[in-house]
Amino acid sequence: MSGVNHNAFLASCMRPMLRRRLSDALNFRNRYLSTIRSLPKATTTNLRSMTPPIAILGAGPSGLLLGRLLNRANIDFTIFERDSSAMSAWGRDGSGTLDLHEGSGLLALEEAGLLDVFKKKARYDVPLTIANMDGKILVKLDENQDTDRPEIDRRDLRSMLLDSVPKDRIQWGVKVEQVQQELDGTMAVHFAEGGSETGFRLVVGADGAWSKARNLLTPAIPEYSGRYYLTSAISPANPFYSIAECLVGTGNYMSMGGGRVVAAMRLGDGSYYTFAGLSLPEAWRHENAALIEDAARLREVLVKEHFADWATANTDLIANSDGDFYVWPLYGLSVGSLPQRSMPGVTLVGDAAHLTPPSGEGVNVALFDSLQLAQQIVKHGAHSLDRAIEEYERSMWPRARETIEDAAVKNEMFFAEDAPAGLLHAFTDGFQNGGEK
Ligand SMILES: Cc1cc2nc3c(=O)[nH]c(=O)nc-3n(C[C@H](O)[C@H](O)[C@H](O)COP(=O)(O)OP(=O)(O)OC[C@H]3O[C@@H](n4cnc5c(N)ncnc54)[C@H](O)[C@@H]3O)c2cc1C
């Protein structure tokens, strides 16, 4: 090649090659774009990026913790959440404060590397006062002692979990309508707004009470318990606040009797989350929409009509609350409705698997489910998800049964005519059996 400009020679050879490559690339791009434009939205999504193997429905405690654990194991996933943003959910309508237990909720946080963050937000000074409907205080527990069941506001737990999952793994404002198995065995997730995403090898229903994945495993739907919780708040600026503080302190106050409950819990910002539990027809919230909007009138109706035979020491917590009301009709799954079989490609965690009326265990079991599922997925690898589900469900369904049975017993204690007699017996038995509550 002497006498020839080496670079010019290379350039003259390369140019046609480059031109061909460029033209091939452009043709490919045009074919790709026209294919994409002619496809429905869902398939478009899958061409844009590789479908992760796992779809998690719901960014509640169970869905987020599962995401956190999978992320730490470098297993890809996507979370679909119906709330439009992190800010829009779990505000004051959440469940107030949650206590996390050793061996379940706390263990799950520890395994997820979140225990230190949790401890910064958690409260360990949480006395429990139990009174009857006459306002007579029967028990004060753990006063001025560190509890082994630390409490955290529900919204703090969620924001802690949210911060622990990469932001791009959560799709907000996406309400799942249906989950289906495709002919090739992969799973498709269909959205209420239209469109779907396909090609998942596992869909995990972490979408709570009305899970859209549950019907693949059981035809059962949650049954109404006959009871509602109506929740409100007492803020530090409330003139009644100092009286609430005397009664509830830094922990929880529960009064019960005659088939009803009045309770208050201290939140992280110092305010009190109050709730009244009572028997109402299932359709009550629809038939009383205007009353629910009118908090002052609802307070009056509750105190004068539903809790008229209660001591004012208790009902003052309702009468003097200053927030709007949030109404929770309480639903649960029955033991008989739990699935008898496993199905490849889908499983459930948390309330989706074993919804119960509140019993103090729900979030703990939800977090523990996710820990157990993540451990099985990591153990078997993302290529063997069906094996992982099988093993996970082998211990999860018996746990679900236990959770449902335990909640039924506790709720009967809370709402018994002679409450809190049963609860006090349970405490006494627990203490005789080694201090377990
Ligand atoms: C009034 C009340 C008080 C409670 N108090 C306690 C307590 O003191 N202690 C305790 O342990 N437990 C308590 N619980 C129960 C506890 O809150 C639940 O057990 C726990 O939150 C379950 O977590 P999860 O992640 O399984 O479901 P959830 O917390 O219900 O989260 C489900 C997530 O899925 C999303 N979602 C739902 N449907 C769809 C859909 N179709 N598409 C996409 N996303 C969807 C929801 O927006 C939500 O973010 C209480 C519950 C209630 C109602």
Side-chain angles (χ1 to χ4, degrees), residues 57-63 80-83 90 95 97-99 154 158 174-176 206-209 212 229 265 273 328 330 349-352 358 360-364 366:
L57 316 185
S62 59
F80 300 114
E81 168 56 50
R82 72 175 167 195
D83 290 335
W90 282 33
S95 65
T97 163
L98 302 163
D99 58 313
R154 191 177 154 107
R158 192 194 210 192
V174 186
K175 185 174 179 201
V176 175
D207 49 342
K212 298 299 180 193
Y229 277 138
M265 301 168 156
Y273 176 81
W328 296 92
L330 307 180
V349 288
D351 280 6
E361 294 295 338
V363 82
N364 288 285

Side-chain angles (χ1 to χ4, degrees), residues 104-167:
S104 53
L106 288 174
L107 176 67
L109 292 184
E110 188 175 5
E111 294 291 321
L114 295 172
L115 203 53
D116 288 341
V117 196
F118 169 80
K119 282 180 179 168
K120 286 188 188 138
K121 287 277 177 193
R123 295 183 296 279
Y124 287 80
D125 177 18
V126 278
L128 170 64
T129 306
I130 300 177
N132 64 15
M133 61 189 277
D134 299 327
K136 184 170 177 203
I137 291 176
L138 303 170
V139 170
K140 267 185 184 264
L141 288 174
D142 292 327
E143 207 171 10
N144 303 321
Q145 276 176 34
D146 272 3
T147 178
D148 56 352
R149 296 183 164 204
E151 303 231 354
I152 187 167
D153 288 4
R154 191 177 154 107
R155 74 192 94 164
D156 286 341
L157 179 69
R158 192 194 210 192
S159 69
M160 180 188 97
L161 291 169
L162 272 174
D163 288 346
S164 77
V165 175
K167 290 191 172 35

